[in-house]
């Protein structure tokens, strides 16, 4: 009788960094002989990769653990594990262990590479395992990865963050900034190209500060120029950029590198100098506006997206008005907008004048409404144009349509056959929605 292959599911919360960590988790599990489960109920191992940037994410995770606990009560041999940023917070791992006895394995961000050993210990010894390191060690290279796409790939260039924005928990749960060696990054991308990948996104909490902890004349601009020269690579993206470290050298490098896409995610967070200072962002609104102008002057057709927070402690109506004014001046192509909520352990959580929830709600709705109008106007201006699209596969909402992205990172839905996946095609834009463009196939590039 054929031996049954054990199965797994990875459930991910959070940012692109977490998405990539989940690819590594899946890779390690498959290296142990597991394969993806058809459904949550059929999985032998469920690993939850957590986020703690916002309170809403934590609440969702606790709710999920409750549901998984009920599943384990019915399926006693199920292994439930939890990893990621949430468990790295002081006291949280212990809280989860005490509140959810059905959770078998708890680990953090710094020891993700230890998953195979810890999982084996939990399964073979039938004991609960909790291992969360206080500090990050050396970067562990060559971990197995099961990538979610066959066309585009995430590539970490840094881990951790040195910025210590007063509202942000990331430096405390991801550790101080550590850069990968350029040769390791370049070798990984060359291997990806050999495997058929055509686009890479360079990942870091602040990619612009890449290399500051490495010896020699290393910078993000120099790394970007080297990646651009890799044969067979069609597109290069990166996220996230901190405005403070966005140098003229980097702008010029993006402008002259043909494979670097014309899309820059540049979180501003607020338009008020007083709030920016309280946030410890390291720049003011005039600097940011000048930076945007220099980027647009050097890179024609560039799309600029951003993150904007409302309701930071002490934010007045005048502060919020300055944020709205900055939105009008820049006219972002898109924005991730969110309400401030205090993260225990961050300086902002201890600030006076916390903004009432009702005021936060009013402000975020006003911001979202205006930014949606601007985003839709940007998209509508593209109707009738021909855009180069890297086809990623079938549309998630309509399997009869194909989907891909422009160089400016706009999603495009169009009729086509599945054999177009992984190809560059020209698409005539026939319609524009808030979240995507509609089009028809023109010709292959």
């Amino acid at each position: 009788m054929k031996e049954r292959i054990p199965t797994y599911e990875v459930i991910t919360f959070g940012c692109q960094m977490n998405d990539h960590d989940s690819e590594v988790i899946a890779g390690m599990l498959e290296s142990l002989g597991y394969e993806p489960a058809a459904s949550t109920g059929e999985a032998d191992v469920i690993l939850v990769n957590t986020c703690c940037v916002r309170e809403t994410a934590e609440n969702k995770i606790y709710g999920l653990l409750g549901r998984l606990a009920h599943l384990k009560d019915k399926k006693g041999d199920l292994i439930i594990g939890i990893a990621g940023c949430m468990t790295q917070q002081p006291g949280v791992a212990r809280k989860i262990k005490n509140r959810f006895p059905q959770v078998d394995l708890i680990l953090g961000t710094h020891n993700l590479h230890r998953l195979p050993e810890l999982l084996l210990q939990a399964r073979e010894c039938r004991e609960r395992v909790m291992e969360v390191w206080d500090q990050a060690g050396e970067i562990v290279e060559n971990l197995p990865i099961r990538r979610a796409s066959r066309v585009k790939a995430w590539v970490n260039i840094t881990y951790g963050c040195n910025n210590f924005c007063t509202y942000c928990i990331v430096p405390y749960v991801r550790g101080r900034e550590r850069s990968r060696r350029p040769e390791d990054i370049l070798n990984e991308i060359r291997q990806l190209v050999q495997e058929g990948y055509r686009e890479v996104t360079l990942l870091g909490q602040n990619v612009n500060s890449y290399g500051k902890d490495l010896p020699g004349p290393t910078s993000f601009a120099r790394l970007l120029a080297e990646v651009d020269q890799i044969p067979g690579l069609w597109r290069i993206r990166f996220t996230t950029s901190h405005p403070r470290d966005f140098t003229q050298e980097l702008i010029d490098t993006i402008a002259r590198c043909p494979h670097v896409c014309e899309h820059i995610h540049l979180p501003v967070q607020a338009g008020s100098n007083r709030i920016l200072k309280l946030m410890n962002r390291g720049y003011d609104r005039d600097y940011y506006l000048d930076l945007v102008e220099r980027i647009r002057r050097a890179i024609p057709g560039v799309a600029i997206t951003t993150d904007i927070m409302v309701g930071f402690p002490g934010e007045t109506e005048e502060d919020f008005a300055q944020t709205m004014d900055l939105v009008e001046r820049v006219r972002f192509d898109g924005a991730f907008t969110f309400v401030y909520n205090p993260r225990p352990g961050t300086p902002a959580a201890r600030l006076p004048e916390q903004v009432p929830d009702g005021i936060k709600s009013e402000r975020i709705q006003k911001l979202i409404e205006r930014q949606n109008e601007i985003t839709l106007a940007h998209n509508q201006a593209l109707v009738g144009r021909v855009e180069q699209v890297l086809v990623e596969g079938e549309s998630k909402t309509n399997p009869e349509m194909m989907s891909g992205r422009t160089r400016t990172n706009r999603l495009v839905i169009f009729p086509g056959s599945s054999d177009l996946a992984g190809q560059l095609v020209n698409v005539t834009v026939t319609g524009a929605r808030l979240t995507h463009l509609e089009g028809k196939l023109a010709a292959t590039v």
Side-chain angles (χ1 to χ4, degrees):
M1 184 176 179
K2 186 177 180 181
E3 184 177 354
R4 178 180 173 275
I5 299 175
T7 60
Y8 74 90
E9 181 176 9
V10 181
I11 302 173
T12 309
F13 294 82
C15 64
Q16 297 97 331
M17 195 75 72
N18 271 23
D19 288 335
H20 186 48
D21 283 348
S22 288
E23 292 182 332
V24 174
I25 290 171
M28 287 190 286
L29 290 172
E30 294 194 7
S31 72
L32 295 175
Y34 289 82
E35 64 179 24
S39 68
T40 301
E42 297 180 22
D44 298 300
V45 171
I46 299 176
L47 208 300
V48 184
N49 190 15
T50 63
C51 173
C52 64
V53 170
R54 300 187 184 94
E55 186 178 11
T56 50
E58 287 196 11
N59 291 337
K60 289 179 181 178
I61 291 163
Y62 282 125
L64 172 63
L65 289 178
R67 295 191 297 276
L68 294 180
H70 288 303
L71 180 61
K72 175 148 186 172
D73 289 340
K74 300 176 183 178
K75 186 179 179 180
D77 58 350
L78 169 65
I79 297 291
I80 299 175
I82 184 166
C85 297
M86 185 172 162
T87 61
Q88 202 67 49
Q89 297 176 96
V92 172
R94 180 65 58 182
K95 176 181 177 181
I96 293 172
K97 185 176 182 181
N98 294 337
R99 181 175 169 184
F100 299 98
Q102 296 88 348
V103 173
D104 304 279
L105 172 60
I106 302 172
L107 67 161
T109 59
H110 302 326
N111 63 330
L112 193 63
H113 61 283
R114 291 264 298 148
L115 174 62
E117 291 86 353
L118 299 177
L119 177 59
L120 182 65
Q121 183 179 342
R123 180 172 285 285
E124 298 300 323
C125 300
R126 306 307 299 176
E127 63 181 30
R128 303 179 73 197
V129 177
M130 184 176 78
E131 182 179 293
V132 180
W133 292 1
D134 291 335
Q135 293 183 335
E138 296 294 321
I139 293 174
V140 179
E141 295 286 352
N142 302 315
L143 292 173
I145 301 176
R146 184 186 191 272
R147 300 188 185 270
S149 169
R150 293 297 304 166
V151 177
K152 58 182 184 178
W154 308 109
V155 177
N156 272 106
I157 65 170
T158 67
Y159 297 89
C161 184
N162 289 351
N163 289 315
F164 289 93
C165 301
T166 58
Y167 54 83
C168 187
I169 194 71
V170 169
Y172 305 97
V173 296
R174 287 279 182 178
R176 301 302 296 268
E177 190 172 283
R178 290 139 11 246
S179 301
R180 294 179 66 194
R181 298 186 308 169
E183 54 267 36
D184 292 329
I185 297 168
L186 295 170
N187 286 338
E188 179 179 351
I189 297 173
R190 292 188 187 104
Q191 181 61 38
L192 286 168
V193 172
Q194 290 181 10
E195 294 172 7
Y197 289 88
R198 294 295 173 248
E199 175 182 302
V200 297
T201 299
L202 308 181
L203 286 180
Q205 302 297 338
N206 176 14
V207 291
N208 302 353
S209 61
Y210 169 80
K212 289 184 178 180
D213 56 327
L214 296 177
T218 305
S219 69
F220 181 54
R222 295 188 183 199
L223 175 68
L224 207 56
E226 289 187 80
V227 175
D228 189 71
Q229 296 175 24
I230 294 177
L233 185 61
W234 294 348
R235 289 184 173 183
I236 304 165
R237 302 187 188 276
F238 55 89
T239 193
T240 293
S241 292
H242 196 297
R244 182 183 58 197
D245 301 307
F246 211 110
T247 64
Q248 188 61 46
E249 178 194 17
L250 179 55
I251 295 172
D252 295 340
T253 299
I254 295 169
R256 72 168 183 266
C257 288
H259 302 115
V260 179
C261 291
E262 296 83 7
H263 169 234
I264 296 171
H265 189 68
L266 196 64
V268 65
Q269 303 299 358
S272 161
N273 285 339
R274 190 178 71 86
I275 297 299
L276 287 170
K277 186 174 182 179
L278 286 171
M279 289 178 168
N280 192 36
R281 290 292 289 171
Y283 55 84
D284 61 21
R285 61 180 282 129
D286 288 341
Y287 170 88
Y288 187 91
L289 290 169
D290 176 71
L291 175 59
V292 168
E293 183 180 342
R294 287 188 286 121
I295 290 171
R296 285 178 168 162
R297 188 165 55 240
I299 309 168
V302 66
I304 298 179
T305 55
T306 196
D307 296 341
I308 304 174
M309 178 189 298
V310 302
F312 187 83
E315 181 187 72
T316 64
E317 285 297 333
E318 175 57 28
D319 293 321
F320 177 65
Q322 291 179 31
T323 294
M324 292 297 294
D325 177 73
L326 185 138
V327 168
E328 295 293 343
R329 288 171 181 264
V330 176
R331 292 185 64 82
F332 295 104
D333 292 82
F336 294 102
T337 57
F338 50 96
V339 166
Y340 168 79
N341 54 59
R343 298 285 74 207
T346 62
R350 301 188 296 272
L351 288 176
E353 302 181 72
Q354 297 286 329
V355 179
D357 289 344
I359 294 176
K360 291 180 184 178
S361 180
E362 291 175 5
R363 290 175 183 172
I364 194 70
Q365 291 304 319
K366 184 176 180 180
L367 173 61
I368 290 172
E369 181 178 347
R370 182 61 187 129
Q371 180 56 53
N372 284 351
E373 292 172 349
I374 295 171
T375 298
L376 182 58
H378 277 299
N379 289 349
Q380 289 173 334
L382 296 175
V383 174
R385 287 183 47 174
V386 175
E387 292 284 333
Q388 184 196 73
V389 173
L390 177 58
V391 185
E392 297 175 5
E394 294 180 352
S395 167
K396 293 180 180 178
T397 57
N398 185 352
E400 296 181 358
M401 305 286 279
M402 300 299 289
S403 70
R405 291 189 178 269
T406 67
R407 287 178 63 95
T408 55
N409 206 36
R410 289 179 169 87
L411 180 66
V412 184
I413 309 296
F414 61 96
S417 58
S418 59
D419 59 358
L420 292 176
Q423 296 188 35
L424 285 173
V425 299
N426 284 334
V427 173
T428 302
V429 179
T430 58
R433 303 292 181 92
L434 178 62
T435 58
H436 66 275
L437 303 176
E438 298 168 346
K440 61 181 180 180
L441 197 62
T444 55
V445 177

